Amino acid sequence: MIRLLINATVLTMDASLPHAQALAVKDGRIVEVGGTDEVLWLREEEYEVIDLEGRTVMPGFVDPHNHFSIGAFETLWADCRSARSVADVQRMLATAARETPAGAWVRGVGYDHQLTGVHPTRGDLDAAVPDRPALVMHFSHHQCVANSHALAAGGIARGTPDPVGGEIARDKTGEPTGLLFERAMSSVETASRTAWETRFTDVARAASARYAALGITAIQDAAVTPAMARRYAEARAAGALAIDVSEVMVGSRGWFERPDDAAPGALKIFVDGGYRCAMRVLRDGAPRTSGFLFYGREELASLLLTAWRAERFVVCHAIGNLGIETAVGAIEDAVRAMPDGPARVRIDHAIFLTAELIARIAALGVWVVAQPSFLYDRGSVVTPDRATDDSILTRPFATALRAGVRQAFSSDYPCGSNAPLIGIAAAVTRTNRHGHLAAPEEAISPATALEAYTLGAARAAGIADIAGSLESGKRADLLVLSSNPLECTPTELASIRVLETWCGGVRSVPP
Ligand SMILES: [Zn+2]
């Protein structure tokens, strides 16, 4: 059957035909885009005409940096994002513990130490969950707090040295407090998810429907362990994924570790930390560095070349200016040995930039995948290191575009808000959830933001041949919106509703 969507305002993201009134869908593909009259000519023996009465149609959103295999479990784990005190975290974990099946770790997600005042300690968690391992993840997903059972299960004791690229927080007597940074959390974090992951097919079914309701039709899961890669294969075989998901692989020992045993496919390399990313700053006129840097330039260049020779695409996580400088330098070095390298690598996050780094990224021509969602969630948060150095530009979306950087958008969910329209609104207004403005001179237009979350994102994800724009031959991944994002006011962008989502021609209506 052919379906003819007519009388719409179609934003195609196709430069050769940016605006249209109608399109035709058959066998999951777009077969025509154009005027209502010409599309109506395509009526076949079996057809359906859908009169959209002027509503806006656009391509489904593509999210090239999302953590679906974490976010899918959110309904099963304690949601600690709203915790305003350690007592709140304790109450949330104790409640979750009652629902946690035997053999699984109690998990909480998303606490913000700036809201709770202090980080919880192992003792706080022991009081809430005394009888088995429990862990609560910081909103950054780069640090967590473990209770005593969890620390013991992860082999972390008083005498355990800090791993390279991580830190075990300790009290004055040298006893671990439960707070673990970056690579120090690898063992407990990995163990805390193992039992839950057996339920992936079930949660993935519901989660992919939630994603579709937000208008997301294709994502890349930005950190998939070998165990999760097997779970993805099961979920796909069961037909549980309502949206297009591709995987970016990490190793089995933990997200931030060297990905030596990653499953085949695109490879993720964490170049620096998250909340404690690698920074190079001037403080009181003197240079200093801070945060966690996981590789030197030379080692990273050699990892890149090994991956490229194995035909792997590489996603480099780099947040701090020192992390980005290391990634850019390593890519420059590797490209000298393999000139087609820029097509095989991208830099994700790239939050703390400088004019010099922006110029080098533009010269390399690699994609940068940025997260306007972070602007919305915590646009006003400035840590001391970042405030003292005027040469550091924070999420400089407009400057990067003017310099010629290929910039796509994503959410990094659950580290940032999942809804693309929230991210797009933040990129346009530079306003966070509390109404605070952050570097308004870095605002970009709605049209540019939409493209960065559709065609740009599809290009960064390597799926632009099938997704990202409404063109004949591409997959029928499209949205019907309650209003036109190019005509509403910037403050209205975040409240546009997704009325219909079509994934590969399969139509769903959000609840
Ligand atoms: Zn991420």
Side-chain angles (χ1 to χ4, degrees), residues 8-11 52 54-58 479-485:
T9 301
V10 184
L11 311 176
L52 288 168
R55 278 193 287 275
T56 300
V57 171
M58 65 168 283
L479 313 175
V480 179
L481 301 179
S482 62
S483 55
N484 182 345

Side-chain angles (χ1 to χ4, degrees), residues 229-243:
R230 292 190 289 275
R231 299 295 177 199
Y232 264 117
E234 292 168 8
R236 256 188 212 105
L241 298 175
I243 60 170

Side-chain angles (χ1 to χ4, degrees), residues 65-67 140-142 222-223 256 268 270 317 319 348-349 371 374 410-415:
H65 187 127
N66 191 296
H67 295 281
S140 66
H141 286 250
H142 280 256
F256 314 130
K268 174 77 170 285
F270 284 86
H317 158 119
I319 290 183
D348 282 22
H349 308 308
Q371 290 74 38
F374 293 171
S410 81
S411 69
D412 200 12
Y413 183 77
C415 301

Side-chain angles (χ1 to χ4, degrees), residues 220-224 226 247-252 255 257-270 295 300 302-308 310-317 344-346 348:
Q220 284 186 295
D221 186 325
V224 176
E247 296 115 286
V248 182
M249 306 300 185
V250 294
S252 62
W255 293 327
E257 306 285 344
R258 240 182 97 116
D260 294 321
D261 63 346
L267 187 68
K268 174 77 170 285
I269 300 178
F270 284 86
Y295 303 95
L300 184 58
S302 120
L303 277 176
L304 285 170
L305 284 172
T306 304
W308 292 351
E311 303 280 308
R312 302 183 81 141
F313 186 87
V314 180
V315 173
C316 288
H317 158 119
R344 300 165 180 268
V345 63
R346 69 176 205 231
D348 282 22

Side-chain angles (χ1 to χ4, degrees), residues 65-86:
H65 187 127
N66 191 296
H67 295 281
F68 183 86
S69 55
I70 304 296
F73 291 97
E74 66 180 3
T75 54
L76 302 182
W77 295 337
D79 180 355
C80 298
R81 283 174 296 185
S82 63
R84 291 293 186 276
S85 64
V86 169

Side-chain angles (χ1 to χ4, degrees), residues 338-374:
M338 284 184 75
D340 67 341
R344 300 165 180 268
V345 63
R346 69 176 205 231
I347 300 173
D348 282 22
H349 308 308
I351 293 177
F352 301 105
L353 283 160
T354 60
E356 191 238 343
L357 286 170
I358 289 171
R360 286 166 71 188
I361 293 169
L364 278 169
V366 297
W367 278 95
V368 165
V369 174
Q371 290 74 38
S373 54
F374 293 171

Side-chain angles (χ1 to χ4, degrees), residues 88 95 129 134 141 206 223 238 277 370 372 391 473 475:
D88 283 350
T95 304
V129 186
H141 286 250
C277 56
S391 70
R475 206 166 53 201

